[in-house]
Amino acid sequence: MVAAAQQADTNASGRPEAIIIGAGIAGMYQLVRLRELGMRVQVLEAGGDVGGTWYWNRYPGARFDSESWTYGYSFSAELLQEWNWPEHFAAQPDTLRYLNHVAERFDLRRDIRFNARVNAAHFDDSTNAWTVTLESGEAFCAPLLISALGPLSAHTLPNIPGRESFAGTAHHTARWPCAGVDLKDKRVGIIGTGATAIQTIQTIAREVGHLTVFQRTPNWAAPLHNRPITAEEQLRIKASYPEIFERCRQTSTCFIHQTDPRKALEVSAAEREAFWEKLYAEPGFGIWVGNFQDVLVDAEANALASAFMAKKIRERVKDPTVAEKLIPKNHGFGTRRLPLESGYFEVYNQPNVRLVDINETPIECITPRGIRTTAEEHELDVLIYATGFDGVTGPYDRIDIRGPGGLRLKDAWADTPRTYLGMLAEGFPNLLMVLGPHTARGNIPRNIEEIVDWLTGLVRHMRGHDQARVETRPEAVQEWADHVEQAAAGLLFSQVRSWQTGVNRNVEGRDVLRVLGYYGGAVAYRRQVEAVAAGGYRELRFG
Ligand code: NAP
């Protein structure tokens, strides 16, 4: 710590006015905005380059499920006009190429330190400054700390005995090597069947010699219907960006899809079926967030939607026993983040693919040769962990964040996060969070831009009023906490275990359902945060 403090002192002359942790979509945009205020900013990024999620998640088949033309930054008309998305749902290499282009275009890299994993961030109550220490021991000091950690950056490995003993090649999907992995004709095993696994499985199934999928919980999944963007579409998209982003502003998830005002239980069976067939045949998340308004809140409506989706799986998977295993039984359609797929279910019709339901034959251990279940040993050359993330709060837990009096954020959030608007953490002055817990989440870049703009407004206000410190007020935090709980209460999704409800069985203590997002919708969220700004931030305390 002494060395770290000395280093902090040495940095004092060119001391940044703000430190941003993370150079993904959020951190990059926050840097752009703070520079506009004329601030000196230091971004600290664990990865070797920009991109965050899109830097780390290079697994085969990685691509996003948001329409490409709704995903990019909207702040620069020139950027929008010069960038051509090649597909309606872009693949990871294209998204990373885009973020590299943004970094170059706005000369962002000069303020970013790469390979700089933050270990600790401690607030000094007497100087109102954060000291941020890297894994290397180097430290940086600044009055403001902005976390742009991403809700899905703390990946987790399965807690299966013998993991270290595996003699073949093993990778988590979020740490896929840049050079790729040779899977041709190999015996490959994959643990997990979430959105990541589904993309990986459908992409590698033809290339590998044999694929064994170890499934604990099947997930509902709907067709992505991706395709290239034609030259004509490209022109149309570029001409209509203002309308596209305005449309995203009007929906509750910031996607172009809007919930249908009808109720599944109020229309005829024929109308219901026709609508679901239409949605199933359309690209993107329409079937999830553009469905009948009662599907995600009413158990009966949800059961009907689940039955429709189950029918589709039975139609697509030839072996009825395998089809039944692929149909979720412990959660309804859309109550977990819906994976979108391209031929996923048909993979199980291939002779070289085997589905192992580990509820029937649990994994006992990982051995040097592969995976041993209670029934047999599966010999593998390559093992893929598509086992997900300690969502939302996990990235915060992995940094030793301490506020006044040494209060640890991890302890303060042990039961549940305590925030105001999801952007400030109770008990941690001058810590501003982009996409922290209790913010609206949907089409992520859209959410990020709004949050970053709001935080930038707050920083501008502080600078304009010579304020060195901002923190929450207890009554405002409690009011927000109650509101966040109420907004989540009626949703079927709130009762289902997933990363979105804070459950991760590979992490100790992550087995209780929590509310980690704001589910009153992006429009309501925006209305509330804008009102706080318009009122002069009276709900916050300045010093
Ligand atoms: P995930 O949805 O949490 O899935 C993890 C999978 O691993 C689950 O099937 C889980 O089973 C399984 N698993 C974990 N530990 C296990 C263990 N010890 N033994 C056996 N199985 C185990 O994670 P993800 O697939 O990485 O996706 C996370 C989120 O990333 C998505 O929901 C989405 O928001 C985002 N994502 C987006 C895209 C996109 O935009 N296209 C693509 C990929 C991911 P249980 O369900 O039983 O726990």
Side-chain angles (χ1 to χ4, degrees), residues 54 59 63-65 152 158-160 191-197 199 214 216-217 219 336-337 358 386-389 499 505-506:
W54 302 106
Y59 60 84
R63 68 173 64 246
F64 47 62
D65 291 337
L152 292 164
N159 50 359
I160 300 171
I191 302 178
T193 45
T196 299
Q199 291 185 330
F214 296 90
R216 185 165 68 185
T217 311
N219 279 297
R336 284 173 148 199
R337 195 283 203 181
I358 61 170
T387 43
F389 303 86
W499 70 264
R505 289 195 255 168
N506 299 314

Side-chain angles (χ1 to χ4, degrees), residues 171-438:
H171 296 287
H172 192 285
T173 45
R175 288 295 177 276
W176 203 255
C178 291
V181 180
D182 181 14
L183 299 174
K184 189 151 178 44
D185 300 329
K186 297 277 194 303
R187 297 167 303 175
V188 179
I190 182 164
I191 302 178
T193 45
T196 299
I198 285 176
Q199 291 185 330
T200 308
I201 291 165
Q202 70 196 12
T203 306
I204 66 173
R206 275 189 183 75
E207 176 192 357
V208 301
H210 188 270
L211 179 64
T212 312
V213 178
F214 296 90
Q215 172 186 270
R216 185 165 68 185
T217 311
N219 279 297
W220 301 105
L224 174 66
H225 297 300
N226 185 30
R227 60 182 175 79
I229 293 177
T230 64
E232 198 185 310
E233 284 173 332
Q234 196 74 256
L235 288 175
R236 225 176 19 243
I237 288 167
K238 288 189 181 180
S240 43
Y241 269 126
E243 292 80 33
I244 291 170
F245 292 127
E246 184 51 33
R247 166 79 179 163
C248 293
R249 274 177 64 83
Q250 301 305 328
T251 68
S252 56
T253 50
C254 296
F255 290 105
I256 52 161
H257 313 282
Q258 180 65 303
T259 315
D260 193 280
R262 293 171 296 167
K263 290 187 173 177
L265 295 179
E266 286 176 2
V267 301
S268 69
E271 187 175 348
R272 210 163 42 219
E273 192 76 2
F275 184 52
W276 284 337
E277 286 291 354
K278 174 178 169 292
L279 291 177
Y280 201 80
E282 285 176 352
F285 274 138
I287 197 158
W288 186 31
V289 296
N291 213 313
F292 292 116
Q293 57 148 302
D294 50 352
V295 161
L296 301 181
V297 291
D298 183 302
E300 204 184 325
N302 186 266
L304 290 172
S306 301
F308 174 85
M309 297 300 287
K311 184 184 75 177
K312 290 291 179 194
I313 297 173
R314 290 189 188 105
E315 282 168 9
R316 292 174 61 183
V317 179
K318 286 185 188 148
D319 182 333
T321 315
V322 176
E324 285 317 304
K325 287 182 185 172
L326 288 165
I327 296 172
K329 306 289 187 309
N330 68 353
H331 66 281
F333 168 72
T335 60
R336 284 173 148 199
R337 195 283 203 181
L338 183 76
L340 295 182
E341 47 82 28
S342 306
Y344 172 66
F345 291 109
E346 285 75 9
V347 159
Y348 295 97
N349 299 331
Q350 288 182 217
N352 67 332
V353 177
R354 180 172 168 197
L355 180 66
V356 174
D357 180 343
I358 61 170
N359 298 298
E360 282 174 7
T361 54
I363 295 177
E364 284 185 341
C365 59
I366 293 173
T367 69
R369 297 197 309 178
I371 290 186
R372 189 187 306 137
T373 66
T374 49
E376 65 193 287
E377 184 170 33
H378 298 263
E379 291 192 19
L380 304 168
D381 305 308
V382 180
L383 180 48
I384 302 175
Y385 299 119
T387 43
F389 303 86
D390 186 6
V392 188
T393 54
Y396 287 85
D397 282 357
R398 292 185 184 190
I399 301 174
D400 176 18
I401 300 175
R402 297 190 197 195
L407 175 68
R408 290 183 354 143
L409 187 73
K410 193 174 176 176
D411 296 335
W413 286 5
D415 290 336
T416 191
R418 297 277 299 172
T419 78
Y420 184 56
L421 306 177
M423 294 193 263
L424 292 99
E426 182 174 46
F428 296 84
N430 292 9
L431 170 62
L432 309 178
M433 304 183 289
V434 187
L435 274 195
H438 300 168

Side-chain angles (χ1 to χ4, degrees), residues 476-515:
V477 169
Q478 191 54 49
E479 204 178 307
W480 181 247
D482 293 342
H483 180 56
V484 163
E485 286 288 332
Q486 275 162 14
L491 299 174
L492 297 171
F493 143 107
S494 302
Q495 300 146 27
V496 173
R497 300 157 67 95
S498 76
W499 70 264
Q500 289 180 292
T501 48
V503 176
N504 184 321
R505 289 195 255 168
N506 299 314
V507 182
E508 216 185 305
R510 282 276 180 273
D511 45 8
V512 179
L513 295 174
R514 292 177 300 155
V515 179

